[in-house]
Amino acid sequence: RIFTTITTSRLRWLKALIMMETIPTMKDVEAIIERSQKLDDVIVSLSLNNLELRDGSKLRHAIDLMLNCENIIGIGINCSDPKEGVSQIDEIVKLDWTNAGKHIFIYPNSGEAYVDGRAIHKSRP
């Protein structure tokens, strides 16, 4: 099956699209970068607290690493606080992600937070 996606400058045909989501650590990002070179187009969706991955690594650092990977065509944000989405996208745009012809996706969670191992709702989507 062939997928299509429209970029700002062209129509691009994709042979295969792989999406890796809820990536919480820089170690995971580095592993994806290493393996993405053997794949067709890849979208990486990060799980963030504000402007950091769940392990405390800076979003800026993850973007800098992925920006140089031709096969990583998009970045997503998921399982993050919906109130933080705009600032997270702003940070990605400031780092020239879209100027490089790459896509941004966001689908925040419904407001859950984990306290003592239990999911609680802190906000409504």
Side-chain angles (χ1 to χ4, degrees):
R1 185 170 174 198
I2 297 177
F3 297 88
T4 62
T5 184
I6 298 177
T7 65
T8 55
S9 60
R10 66 191 181 278
L11 181 66
R12 183 173 180 187
W13 294 93
L14 306 175
K15 295 177 189 171
L17 176 65
I18 297 172
M19 182 169 186
M20 299 179 193
E21 67 171 7
T22 318
I23 306 303
T25 69
M26 187 60 70
K27 182 177 178 180
D28 294 322
V29 170
E30 291 166 350
I32 290 167
I33 289 168
E34 180 181 327
R35 288 165 181 82
S36 72
Q37 296 171 13
K38 297 177 183 175
L39 302 171
D40 286 329
D41 294 332
V42 176
I43 296 171
V44 179
S45 190
L46 304 172
S47 179
L48 304 173
N49 279 325
N50 295 310
L51 299 177
E52 296 180 343
L53 279 72
R54 301 289 178 174
D55 67 354
S57 300
K58 300 293 182 196
L59 172 61
R60 172 178 296 274
H61 181 60
I63 297 299
D64 286 342
L65 292 176
M66 291 188 291
L67 196 56
N68 296 318
C69 297
E70 186 176 316
N71 293 3
I72 297 178
I73 63 159
I75 187 167
I77 300 166
N78 73 304
C79 291
S80 298
D81 188 330
K83 294 180 214 166
E84 297 170 359
V86 172
S87 64
Q88 292 164 342
I89 290 173
D90 284 346
E91 182 73 7
I92 294 167
V93 170
K94 280 192 280 186
L95 296 169
D96 287 335
W97 190 261
T98 52
N99 287 340
K102 298 180 184 247
H103 304 278
I104 299 173
F105 304 87
I106 185 167
Y107 45 107
N109 69 10
S110 60
E112 296 96 346
Y114 289 87
V115 176
D116 296 328
R118 296 180 320 169
I120 60 168
H121 282 275
K122 292 176 67 177
S123 63
R124 300 249 178 229

